[in-house]
Amino acid sequence: MSELQITARMKIHDGKLEEFKRVAERCMESARTKDTGTLQYDWFFDADQRECVVRERYRDSAALMEHMANLGDASGALLQTCDFSAEIYGTPSAEIVAGLRGFDITYYTHYQSI
């Protein structure tokens, strides 16, 4: 299974919601117009808009690398507005694991599916 799935969780800093939303729009626009292997990129807020969850799916590790490169400085700007953690499902390349070192990431390898 080469597809990667990600659940990214962002706890928005007090007073940063509007800035978070502006940067999130930049991220979405980048995914819409530049990414070629992004299969899903859905953003969700909790009821009080203090936490955002992004559900992501990528064709493979190369598609995730492309997405991260396309985000450019938007990813850094987003991290200025929230605390970030993520879960990655699948087997990402060593390059992705190395590139995400230092972030709060939990990796899950595929076991079984229907």
Side-chain angles (χ1 to χ4, degrees):
M1 179 170 130
S2 61
E3 182 178 299
L4 296 176
Q5 299 178 26
I6 300 174
T7 300
R9 300 179 189 282
M10 293 162 279
K11 294 184 180 182
I12 301 161
H13 298 160
D14 289 340
K16 296 288 188 172
L17 178 61
E18 293 310 313
E19 182 180 352
F20 176 89
K21 287 181 175 181
R22 283 191 298 277
V23 178
E25 286 296 323
R26 288 174 45 203
C27 294
M28 182 60 74
E29 182 64 18
S30 173
R32 279 190 193 115
T33 61
K34 297 178 183 177
D35 291 2
T36 61
T38 298
L39 306 173
Q40 178 182 1
Y41 197 54
D42 299 328
W43 294 60
F44 301 88
F45 278 114
D46 66 351
D48 62 2
Q49 295 191 344
R50 294 183 55 82
E51 186 170 351
C52 181
V53 173
V54 183
R55 295 286 301 138
E56 307 173 46
R57 287 178 44 236
Y58 299 94
R59 178 188 61 236
D60 53 24
S61 289
L64 177 53
M65 289 297 297
E66 175 193 59
H67 172 72
M68 293 185 330
N70 288 341
L71 287 178
D73 67 343
S75 57
L78 194 68
L79 293 174
Q80 297 299 310
T81 66
C82 64
D83 294 326
F84 174 86
S85 65
E87 300 162 352
I88 297 181
Y89 306 90
T91 306
S93 68
E95 185 179 15
I96 289 174
V97 173
L100 295 174
R101 191 166 287 120
F103 288 97
D104 183 6
I105 309 283
T106 304
Y107 295 92
Y108 295 92
T109 56
H110 185 254
Y111 171 56
Q112 62 183 349
S113 57
I114 59 170

